[in-house]
Amino acid sequence: KNSGPAASRTPQPRMENLDVAVGHGAVVDDRGSKTLDIATSQLVSHYIDHIQPAIDEMAAADCHHFVGLDPAALPEECSEGSEHDLRRMQAFVRFRDRVTVEVDSWCRRQGVPDDALHEALQQASEAAAAGKETNGTILLELLAAVDDYGTFAGYMAGEAESAHGPPGAPSVFEVAVPEGVFPGEQLQVHTPDGQTLLCTVPEGLAAGQAFAISYTPLV
């Protein structure tokens, strides 16, 4: 399982777009890089401990929209400027808004001004370009999916592959036997991705008991 959106690929950070998550302004903070690094380290820890679990829940709920996308080689559908599936874009907006609110809320509680965090991310971008890893570059990677739909789509495609298998691979879901339906009778069911299937209720089951059904997710 991926550890978060940054696990999908290493993006080329675009600092002007990261303002969506950290506010606006690029004033150098006089407190110095040491103070910035401490704040950045604390935010990284908060993200991993508190924001990431919420993202994982959202990913589990929305990843079926991304079944069929290759997380390793992002298709044209995920590139900048191309048209995107409405449901996938809605998932991206929910993700971006959730992370934005969480990061902004943490900054307010900790008294970290927008310009200070923006400066930390600018420094992180320079460090990343030089091949260095710092607390700032880790944060930059964590926020990459807020900045870029392609990164987000790659992450979600990886989550979909983990949950449903690679494109074309069979998947399984459970169905409860409805009242009034008995073993040996046929039952019409709907898969998680919206397909309609006809199955036979196994012998030995009563109403309310569940059984597994195998299907091939849509690509």
Side-chain angles (χ1 to χ4, degrees), residues 98-112:
R98 179 63 181 270
V99 174
T100 299
V101 168
E102 293 286 351
V103 171
D104 285 348
S105 176
W106 182 89
C107 287
R108 286 194 300 270
R109 291 196 305 271
Q110 300 299 319
V112 177

Side-chain angles (χ1 to χ4, degrees), residues 36 63 87 135 185 202 206:
L36 282 179
C63 70
R87 293 169 302 174
N135 286 319
E185 294 184 351

Side-chain angles (χ1 to χ4, degrees), residues 9-217:
R9 68 175 185 176
T10 301
Q12 293 297 320
R14 294 189 303 283
M15 295 305 303
E16 65 274 16
N17 292 341
L18 279 173
D19 282 333
V20 71
V22 298
H24 298 280
V27 178
V28 176
D29 189 359
D30 293 334
R31 291 176 299 176
S33 59
K34 183 176 180 180
T35 302
L36 282 179
D37 191 58
I38 292 173
T40 304
S41 176
Q42 291 173 342
L43 179 52
V44 167
S45 296
H46 176 75
Y47 191 109
I48 293 172
D49 292 340
H50 300 285
I51 301 178
Q52 189 61 53
I55 291 174
D56 289 342
E57 290 183 5
M58 294 178 68
D62 288 334
C63 70
H64 65 279
H65 296 312
F66 296 80
V67 169
L69 298 185
D70 186 346
L74 294 177
E76 184 66 24
E77 185 176 359
C78 293
S79 66
E80 292 295 324
S82 62
E83 293 186 6
H84 305 304
D85 180 276
L86 177 59
R87 293 169 302 174
R88 294 172 183 164
M89 282 304 299
Q90 289 172 336
F92 174 58
V93 171
R94 285 193 293 273
F95 166 83
R96 184 188 62 195
D97 290 349
R98 179 63 181 270
V99 174
T100 299
V101 168
E102 293 286 351
V103 171
D104 285 348
S105 176
W106 182 89
C107 287
R108 286 194 300 270
R109 291 196 305 271
Q110 300 299 319
V112 177
D114 292 340
D115 58 355
L117 189 54
H118 186 88
E119 173 63 16
L121 290 172
Q122 285 183 312
Q123 293 177 6
S125 182
E126 295 170 0
K132 300 177 182 178
E133 182 173 300
T134 65
N135 286 319
T137 60
I138 295 172
L139 180 60
L140 202 61
E141 290 181 2
L142 290 172
L143 294 177
V146 176
D147 176 55
D148 179 60
Y149 172 76
T151 301
F152 170 77
Y155 163 62
M156 293 295 284
E159 293 296 298
E161 187 171 289
S162 296
H164 302 286
S171 188
V172 175
F173 71 107
E174 288 193 341
V175 172
V177 178
E179 291 287 345
V181 178
F182 301 94
E185 294 184 351
Q186 289 192 317
L187 177 66
Q188 183 173 285
V189 299
H190 299 287
T191 66
D193 60 358
Q195 299 181 66
T196 300
L197 302 179
L198 198 62
C199 65
T200 301
V201 177
E203 294 294 331
L205 295 185
Q209 293 183 307
F211 63 99
I213 298 175
S214 177
Y215 74 104
T216 300

